[in-house]
Amino acid sequence: MPKDDDITTFSKLKEEVNLALPQCIERVLGKVAEYHPKHVEEWSESVGQEVLKKLQEISGNFKYIVTTSIMEKKGAGFHTSSAVFWDSDTDGAVSYRWENKAMICIVQTCGIGI
């Protein structure tokens, strides 16, 4: 991996971010066996903070946006999309879907070149 100062294109980080996202989610939700609506806000905030912390460790050369969605696994549909206007040479995004028997967690991250 190049030195942090050399990384100015988010696409160079995508593979590492894809590996980091499930680890961040697992740290928060890995031992949670049941969906509890009263805990979703706390879980969502914790996952988001874990991801932001890890992204900053990977590279401080970007502004980051992290969106976390957690829903109970009941067979209902869930659709999401995003539209962006950015510099595709430097900016990028990674989405990751994690699930267990009780819930689904979708994390979307965007890295915007500084």
Side-chain angles (χ1 to χ4, degrees):
M1 180 120 239
K3 290 186 335 185
D4 184 54
D5 292 346
D6 296 338
I7 302 171
T8 57
T9 304
F10 190 76
S11 63
K12 292 180 182 177
L13 303 177
K14 281 190 172 186
E15 186 175 330
E16 192 171 354
V17 172
N18 265 320
L19 293 173
L21 290 178
Q23 295 168 359
C24 293
I25 298 167
E26 279 289 330
R27 277 197 286 279
V28 177
L29 299 177
K31 292 188 174 24
V32 177
E34 291 183 34
Y35 181 87
H36 297 284
K38 66 182 181 182
H39 296 299
V40 172
E41 185 176 345
E42 175 190 339
W43 293 336
S44 184
E45 178 69 22
S46 295
V47 168
Q49 290 303 316
E50 284 285 329
V51 171
L52 278 175
K53 186 170 111 182
K54 184 61 178 177
L55 290 171
Q56 283 294 308
E57 288 173 13
I58 292 171
S59 177
N61 292 339
F62 299 88
K63 296 178 193 175
Y64 295 106
I65 300 166
V66 177
T67 305
T68 305
S69 301
I70 298 173
M71 63 183 281
E72 187 171 14
K73 195 171 185 181
K74 286 205 164 203
F78 180 80
H79 303 277
T80 184
S81 67
S82 61
V84 297
F85 180 75
W86 62 24
D87 184 346
S88 59
D89 291 336
T90 58
D91 309 335
V94 174
S95 295
Y96 189 85
R97 177 189 166 118
W98 176 95
E99 62 183 274
N100 65 12
K101 291 182 179 185
M103 69 188 87
I104 298 168
C105 176
I106 298 171
V107 174
Q108 298 174 307
T109 63
C110 297
I112 314 297
I114 296 176

